[in-house]
């Protein structure tokens, strides 16, 4: 009998964390590395949020909190969903977790039984299928393609739903592709789900505020009120408020599901950091002025990266609607050789050789379930992005 759980053998390590760590190690060893693998804003947390945390410490808000979160934060979440999404919830229908990942994991742990299926469109965030497996469920992948901007089509969703399907996870704007569903696109998806009342909807709206141009963000329960009673709408403060390290995610949904998640969390972490929760109150209830600045910067960076990558031999890069990632295809580089004689056989070969040759860290698309592509994060300065894209162009140009 082995000491470690058998479930661990079914779970893959996070490729995004692995590549980011590799880039850190090479940089520490003296290599000039530009990391485009990390999924966090390079901006600092706005001052009013930091001030709220300091004030909370000085008030002595340093004790255990209720498992589901402090009342002021749960009330702020209710106001946020009403103000920004037109969704009506009570505080008892909300829960706070230690990051969005924690919220998703608790929802799955509270609901999945062996044999239950969870539909996950690919490309997907690397943690979705692994969390499903750890919670005893079976991930079922729905296919997308570049022709449809990596967005799930209703016919494909209809194809993969079975009597065993318990959840579908929808992420818009998407990590890794940046693709986001317009209202009419999402309505086609929700129309399918209305025909399958046994399927619940878990939305990951973490990049809600990072949409560009005239794009209007919408979430499933907003588009189709008939899904309200079987939707868990998840969000957090990590991306829009540059608070990745504060570790606060939240969700709202049917009260019986929230109670089940509270039950799980009560035996797991108890609750999120008290100080971080008070900071999140300030984030949701306070000024939102920084959002326009964040969006403008990311919009400019997106356009820079898309333009330069589409001028790169062997790469094709769609223009995403949101988040801070692009997901170019490197299919035309497969089978080519590096100057050292290495044949690029996979997208993983591509990113490994790119890192070794030019010191640019990206993440291979196969880690997100769909290749040959690579995920590039543009959450860094224009100067660094321009230099990184120049190096990518040089690397691609060197292949024969």
């Amino acid at each position: 009998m082995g000491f470690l759980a058998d479930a661990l053998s079914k779970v893959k390590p996070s490729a995004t964390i692995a590549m980011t760590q590799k880039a850190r190690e090479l940089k520490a060893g003296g290599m000039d590395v530009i990391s485009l693998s990390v999924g966090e804003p390079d901006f600092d947390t706005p001052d009013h949020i930091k001030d709220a945390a300091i004030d909370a410490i000085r008030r002595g808000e340093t004790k255990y909190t209720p498992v589901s979160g402090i009342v002021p934060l749960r009330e702020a979440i209710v106001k946020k969903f009403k103000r920004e999404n037109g969704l009506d919830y009570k505080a008892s229908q909300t829960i706070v977790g230690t990051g969005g990942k924690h919220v998703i994991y608790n929802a799955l742990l509270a609901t999945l039984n062996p044999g239950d299926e969870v539909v996950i469109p690919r490309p997907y965030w690397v943690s979705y299928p692994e969390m499903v497996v750890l919670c005893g469920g079976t991930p079922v992948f729905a296919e997308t393609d570049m022709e449809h901007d990596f967005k799930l089509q209703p016919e494909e969703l209809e194809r993969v739903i079975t009597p065993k399907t318990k959840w579908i996870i929808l992420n818009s704007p998407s990590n890794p592709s940046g693709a986001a569903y317009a209202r009419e696109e999402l309505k086609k998806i929700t129309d399918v789900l209305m025909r399958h009342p046994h399927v619940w909807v878990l939305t990951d709206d973490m990049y809600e505020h990072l949409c560009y141009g005239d794009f209007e963000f919408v979430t499933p329960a907003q588009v189709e009120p008939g899904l309200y009673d079987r939707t868990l709408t998840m969000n957090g403060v990590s991306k829009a408020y540059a608070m990745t390290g504060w570790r606060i995610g939240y969700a709202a949904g049917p009260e019986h599901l929230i109670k089940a998640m509270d039950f799980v969390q009560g035996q797991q972490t108890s609750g999120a950091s008290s100080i971080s929760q008070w900071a999140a109150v300030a984030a949701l209830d306070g000024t939102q002025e920084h959002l326009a600045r964040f969006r403008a910067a990311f919009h400019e960076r997106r356009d820079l990266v898309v333009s330069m990558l589409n001028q790169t031999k062997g790469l094709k890069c769609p223009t995403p609607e949101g988040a801070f990632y692009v997901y170019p295809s490197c299919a035309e580089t497969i089978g080519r050789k590096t100057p050292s004689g290495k044949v690029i056989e996979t997208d993983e070969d591509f990113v490994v050789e790119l890192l070794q040759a030019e010191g640019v860290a990206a993440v291979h698309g196969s880690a997100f379930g769909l290749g040959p592509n690579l995920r590039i994060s543009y959450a860094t300065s224009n100067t660094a992005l321009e230099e990184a894209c120049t190096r990518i162009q040089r690397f691609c140009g060197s292949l024969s």
Side-chain angles (χ1 to χ4, degrees):
M1 179 184 296
F3 176 67
L4 298 180
D6 293 342
L8 295 185
S9 65
K10 303 175 184 178
V11 175
K12 299 187 292 291
S14 169
T16 55
I17 293 175
M19 184 57 75
T20 301
Q21 182 59 32
K22 180 65 174 176
R24 287 194 188 108
E25 291 170 359
L26 290 174
K27 194 167 187 176
M31 187 175 185
D32 177 17
V33 174
I34 302 175
S35 180
L36 305 182
S37 60
V38 66
E40 66 177 350
D42 58 322
F43 302 113
D44 195 14
T45 304
D47 285 342
H48 72 283
I49 299 173
K50 291 189 286 187
D51 290 342
I54 294 168
D55 289 344
I57 293 171
R58 288 176 174 154
R59 289 198 310 271
E61 306 281 4
T62 56
K63 308 299 184 183
Y64 291 132
T65 72
V67 171
S68 291
I70 59 174
V71 171
L73 180 52
R74 298 178 79 185
E75 291 176 343
I77 291 165
V78 168
K79 288 185 285 186
K80 174 262 181 282
F81 279 124
K82 180 64 175 178
R83 178 180 70 242
E84 298 177 354
N85 309 110
L87 294 173
D88 289 309
Y89 291 106
K90 298 178 293 184
S92 59
Q93 291 177 276
T94 67
I95 191 167
V96 178
T98 308
K101 182 185 290 188
H102 185 215
V103 173
I104 295 171
Y105 188 87
N106 282 353
L108 297 174
L109 190 60
T111 58
L112 290 182
N113 293 307
D116 287 343
E117 296 176 350
V118 179
V119 171
I120 303 172
R122 54 178 162 194
Y124 46 72
W125 181 42
V126 294
S127 293
Y128 293 150
E130 312 310 324
M131 288 193 286
V132 169
V133 170
L134 280 171
C135 292
T138 302
V140 173
F141 301 109
E143 306 300 335
T144 72
D145 54 41
M146 188 180 288
E147 180 183 355
H148 294 99
D149 298 320
F150 304 113
K151 297 176 191 178
L152 177 62
Q153 298 302 297
E155 300 81 9
E156 175 64 6
L157 175 57
E158 192 76 63
R159 183 187 71 82
V160 297
I161 290 176
T162 76
K164 296 181 179 180
T165 305
K166 180 162 280 187
W167 287 99
I168 178 173
I169 299 178
L170 292 174
N171 176 210
S172 173
S174 162
N175 175 6
S177 71
Y181 292 85
R183 181 179 291 271
E184 59 274 15
E185 294 171 325
L186 193 55
K187 184 63 168 63
K188 293 177 182 178
I189 298 300
T190 60
D191 284 348
V192 174
L193 294 169
M194 289 297 292
R195 295 195 290 271
H196 298 277
H198 66 291
V199 180
W200 281 61
V201 185
L202 202 169
T203 77
D204 180 348
D205 297 348
M206 192 64 75
Y207 296 90
E208 169 185 1
H209 289 295
L210 301 181
C211 296
Y212 309 118
D214 297 327
F215 187 87
E216 177 195 0
F217 173 84
V218 286
T219 194
Q222 176 184 12
V223 171
E224 177 48 75
L227 291 174
Y228 176 90
D229 288 332
R230 52 188 171 106
T231 297
L232 183 71
T233 302
M234 189 281 288
N235 211 313
V237 296
S238 295
K239 314 299 181 178
Y241 300 91
M243 293 176 67
T244 51
W246 298 77
R247 308 310 303 136
I248 293 291
Y250 59 83
E255 197 161 334
H256 67 96
L257 172 60
I258 297 299
K259 286 181 178 178
M261 293 168 64
D262 176 273
F263 178 77
V264 168
Q265 191 160 298
Q267 297 293 357
Q268 187 190 63
T269 62
S270 292
S273 159
S274 60
I275 304 307
S276 294
Q277 289 189 60
W278 283 104
V281 172
L284 296 181
D285 277 350
T287 176
Q288 308 293 304
E289 290 179 356
H290 71 283
L291 291 175
R293 177 169 56 86
F294 281 18
R295 277 194 295 265
F298 283 132
H299 191 171
E300 183 179 354
R301 294 170 182 183
R302 180 201 67 176
D303 291 348
L304 167 66
V305 170
V306 169
S307 175
M308 292 191 71
L309 292 181
N310 279 326
Q311 296 173 54
T312 301
K313 182 180 178 182
L315 298 186
K316 292 182 179 177
C317 186
T319 302
E321 292 87 355
F324 39 68
Y325 311 105
V326 292
Y327 201 66
S329 168
C330 59
E332 293 180 15
T333 70
I334 303 301
R336 295 185 178 178
K337 289 183 180 179
T338 68
S340 66
K342 167 69 176 178
V343 177
I344 304 293
E345 297 180 350
T346 65
D347 50 14
E348 186 170 7
D349 288 343
F350 183 96
V351 299
V352 168
E353 293 300 313
L354 174 64
L355 180 58
Q356 295 293 344
E358 294 287 353
V360 175
V363 186
H364 49 293
S366 55
F368 303 97
L370 183 65
N373 293 74
L374 56 148
R375 190 195 77 170
I376 289 175
S377 167
Y378 51 86
T380 190
S381 71
N382 289 40
T383 301
L385 290 170
E386 189 166 357
E387 173 62 21
C389 289
T390 299
R391 295 184 190 186
I392 294 171
Q393 289 177 342
R394 187 165 59 221
F395 174 73
C396 290
S398 73
L399 302 179
S400 59

